[in-house]
Amino acid sequence: MTSQVAYLPTALLHLHLETLEVAHSQGNMLHSFLQSYFPQGGYNFSQLGFNLGTPESMELYEKAASNLAKTLSPYSRVVLFLTIHSNEERGDLFAGFLHGQQVASKVLEDIIKGADIILNVCGSVVNMEKSFHHVKKAAQIFNPRSMILFDAPHLQPAATGPYLHSHLDNTIIQGYDVSSAALFALHDFAMLGRHSNIVLIFWKSGDIVVEKLVWTDKNIRPWGNYLPVQCPQCGTMQKWVGGSANKTLSYECKYVDCGKNMGPDGTSLPPQSYTFTMPKGAQQLNQGKKEGSSWLKLT
């Protein structure tokens, strides 16, 4: 597989909830990177805030969005950042405020057909099954070229910036397909997995494909599962004693008194233990592989 400098006329668009501070967003960072590849033009960067909580704000947004959409027609490649809040319990996306309360929108109505969409939103939109179903449904309706999401419960956009820089370099500038580019970026930014896994949505042979890249580390994130820093049974802070058999990793609290006199009527319990098995169908990747850690690809 080869790449080439294949930059097409490109527009970078940042849609954001207008109450969010976006002065130093990833969009601005990537704008600084991308614009140098278009010294003769053929590139545009725009930002548009929205608050869809009232009829008046909805009307203002629709007018601004319509005017912006007209300026995008000359660009064969559009990268769209969507920065917004999500409901931690339901995963719904906030569209604005109504009577002082945040309003959630169950579908992404501003996705541009053929665009590469990057969602700057906390992980509940991925982790809640119903909410993620709406995301996939929106992808089928609006037909973007690809979508990237992160599953960190409290996403820190700064942690994803270097990875996205590499990903867009591979797709927009070098011309790799989205799935391959996502893997190449893991070579240099594998430690993103300490903060968040990555979810890709794209089209292949006319069908929508969802891939999840899950970071695993035998000491802290076995097969993508969180291993507690503190034993929940005895409360000690210490390294777990681990063992492995085939694709199964087992752990036990090494504190000698873990479980002592903690059972009914002062009886003792076994030391706290955990067992994790490699997810069925997971592929362990070489990209970003370090001693004791790697990435898994789930489809």
Side-chain angles (χ1 to χ4, degrees), residues 26-298:
Q26 298 138 307
N28 296 75
M29 178 194 72
L30 293 170
H31 163 56
S32 299
F33 161 67
L34 287 174
Q35 66 178 342
S36 61
Y37 283 94
F38 301 87
Q40 305 302 320
Y43 172 77
N44 181 65
F45 175 58
S46 304
Q47 296 194 84
L48 178 61
F50 60 87
N51 180 350
L52 310 184
T54 67
E56 294 78 13
S57 61
M58 174 77 79
E59 182 178 356
L60 288 173
Y61 169 74
E62 289 180 347
K63 182 177 180 180
S66 176
N67 292 334
L68 180 59
K70 295 175 184 178
T71 69
L72 298 178
S73 57
Y75 302 98
S76 53
R77 186 66 54 82
V78 175
V79 179
L80 187 154
F81 279 81
L82 179 62
T83 302
I84 195 170
H85 288 308
S86 63
N87 184 292
E88 291 187 15
E89 296 180 356
R90 298 191 307 274
D92 296 341
L93 300 182
F94 291 123
F97 288 83
L98 182 62
H99 305 307
Q101 300 296 317
Q102 288 176 313
V103 179
S105 173
K106 286 185 168 59
V107 293
L108 309 177
E109 298 189 9
D110 298 297
I111 293 178
I112 297 175
K113 182 178 180 180
D116 293 309
I117 314 296
I118 300 170
L119 271 75
N120 288 327
V121 60
C122 293
S124 57
V125 70
V126 173
N127 300 326
M128 300 296 179
E129 183 178 353
K130 186 176 181 180
S131 178
F132 192 51
H133 170 76
H134 287 300
V135 171
K136 292 185 288 185
K137 183 178 180 181
Q140 293 174 329
I141 294 173
F142 296 102
N143 200 25
R145 187 173 81 120
S146 70
M147 299 177 72
I148 297 180
L149 306 93
F150 301 92
D151 70 353
H154 300 96
L155 183 68
Q156 300 297 318
T160 68
Y163 175 82
L164 293 174
H165 185 291
S166 178
H167 179 80
L168 292 186
D169 177 37
N170 285 318
T171 54
I172 302 300
I173 305 304
Q174 299 190 52
Y176 283 109
D177 65 84
V178 172
S179 182
S180 297
L183 301 187
F184 296 156
L186 297 179
H187 278 295
D188 299 320
F189 305 108
M191 296 310 290
L192 167 64
R194 287 179 176 265
H195 177 58
S196 180
N197 297 316
I198 305 164
V199 178
L200 303 173
I201 301 176
F202 57 95
W203 294 89
K204 185 175 182 180
S205 301
D207 295 320
I208 193 167
V209 177
V210 178
E211 291 183 351
K212 187 171 185 179
L213 304 178
V214 176
W215 188 69
T216 175
D217 182 281
K218 66 179 183 180
N219 294 316
I220 59 175
R221 198 78 59 78
W223 299 133
N225 298 280
Y226 285 85
L227 193 62
V229 175
Q230 182 180 25
C231 176
Q233 180 164 267
C234 65
T236 57
M237 303 275 291
Q238 53 188 310
K239 188 175 181 180
W240 297 87
V241 177
S244 62
N246 297 322
K247 299 297 183 180
T248 298
L249 301 174
S250 301
Y251 301 85
E252 185 175 285
C253 179
K254 69 177 185 179
Y255 180 50
V256 294
D257 289 331
C258 182
K260 185 177 181 180
N261 301 326
M262 293 182 177
D265 301 322
T267 57
S268 294
L269 300 174
Q272 179 69 44
S273 63
Y274 294 95
T275 299
F276 304 104
T277 302
M278 183 177 179
K280 185 178 180 180
Q283 175 187 353
Q284 197 162 12
L285 303 174
N286 291 322
Q287 292 89 344
K289 192 172 184 178
K290 310 289 184 182
E291 184 178 357
S293 68
S294 63
W295 287 83
L296 304 175
K297 182 169 75 170
L298 305 174

